[in-house]
Amino acid sequence: MSEAPEPTHAPGDGQTETEAETVEAYDPAEAYDPAAPAPLGVVRTPTGHPVVDAGLERLADADHLPADGHLDVYEDVHQGLRDALTALDARPEPAPPHRPSPYRPSNDNRS
């Protein structure tokens, strides 16, 4: 078992050397930077729809960007979701032309 070093007092400052090292190591400017990227911790649950799930994964990119970079991510995801919804509203392709079955007699009785 190792023992912690016994703190010694520096002459005239009233602090031990280990306390002084701790104070010097702590820099409040480095400890909190409001503009630094910070993950929001939002859980993104897959939906089973590949386009939507890709958009959710794209949102994760915002966690690593400064706030001024979030807009590009949000617009990109929004456009992807709009495209997916628009594709749902698109008219289906026309059905292939009907071909009479060779196994059923035709209604055309012309000779």
Side-chain angles (χ1 to χ4, degrees):
M1 193 162 131
S2 65
E3 293 182 27
E6 187 114 356
T8 59
H9 292 281
D13 68 359
Q15 291 182 331
T16 64
E17 284 181 28
T18 54
E19 289 172 345
E21 289 171 5
T22 303
V23 170
E24 288 175 16
Y26 176 74
D27 182 5
E30 289 181 21
Y32 177 71
D33 181 5
L40 296 175
V42 176
V43 177
R44 289 174 288 276
T45 306
T47 64
H49 299 279
V51 174
V52 176
D53 290 342
L56 288 172
E57 287 303 312
R58 175 76 169 110
L59 284 176
D61 294 342
D63 283 348
H64 309 290
L65 296 172
D68 61 352
H70 290 192
L71 183 61
D72 291 335
V73 173
Y74 297 153
E75 286 179 343
D76 184 36
V77 172
H78 183 249
Q79 186 61 49
L81 293 173
R82 286 181 60 123
D83 292 346
L85 289 172
T86 301
L88 292 174
D89 289 338
R91 293 180 185 246
E93 292 184 24
H98 176 70
R99 294 184 192 164
S101 169
Y103 303 106
R104 281 204 221 159
S106 164
N107 288 340
D108 186 5
N109 293 326
R110 292 182 273 176
S111 311

